Amino acid sequence: ANLFLFRFQTNFSLAVPLSSKINIVCPSPAIIPTTIEGSIRLEELYENLWIVDRQAYDTCAVNTSKYDNRILMKCDTPRQLRFFSILFQRFSALPDGLEFERGKDYFFIGN
């Protein structure tokens, strides 16, 4: 089967078929319908999405000198609804486009 394993920092895994697309949405008050007690202030809704190697995933510390560890999206405008689409494809026409190999695990963290 043409599946990729997509792992998140929360130890959530998702098996993804080839050519699937996932949209990651930045934290924003637009997607939170009610105020939750103790919630983060609007000025603090800031998050980065990284694709990382296993070591960075396990330690939640990104070594930016490794090419496998790179930022995919900056969420630094909480008043704007922003998202990042990940297309699970074997080849990309873009120079820095994401490419995924069948049977390999991929790791993502937010910080």
Side-chain angles (χ1 to χ4, degrees):
N2 289 321
L3 294 177
F4 305 99
L5 195 58
F6 184 65
R7 292 184 191 233
F8 292 92
Q9 183 176 358
T10 57
N11 290 324
F12 171 76
S13 297
L14 180 64
V16 182
L18 183 64
S19 299
S20 292
K21 183 178 178 181
I22 293 177
N23 293 320
I24 308 291
V25 181
C26 288
S28 166
I31 62 171
I32 304 169
T34 59
T35 303
I36 300 169
E37 184 177 331
S39 63
I40 297 173
R41 296 184 352 231
L42 180 64
E43 304 81 44
E44 297 170 351
L45 284 176
Y46 180 84
E47 190 81 22
N48 293 319
L49 176 67
W50 296 79
I51 186 167
V52 296
D53 60 17
R54 179 66 190 240
Q55 181 181 4
Y57 176 82
D58 288 340
T59 61
C60 199
V62 180
N63 178 349
T64 57
S65 66
K66 293 183 178 180
Y67 180 76
D68 288 346
N69 298 331
R70 57 187 171 136
I71 194 163
L72 297 179
M73 175 177 68
K74 286 187 176 188
C75 295
D76 55 1
T77 54
R79 294 189 186 275
Q80 295 178 348
L81 189 56
R82 296 180 60 190
F83 67 93
F84 181 78
S85 297
I86 299 174
L87 177 60
F88 288 87
Q89 58 191 357
R90 295 193 59 199
F91 305 102
S92 173
L94 303 173
D96 286 331
L98 295 174
E99 297 179 348
F100 298 92
E101 295 176 36
R102 182 180 36 194
K104 183 176 175 185
D105 291 356
Y106 292 88
F107 303 92
F108 297 84
I109 62 173
N111 73 351

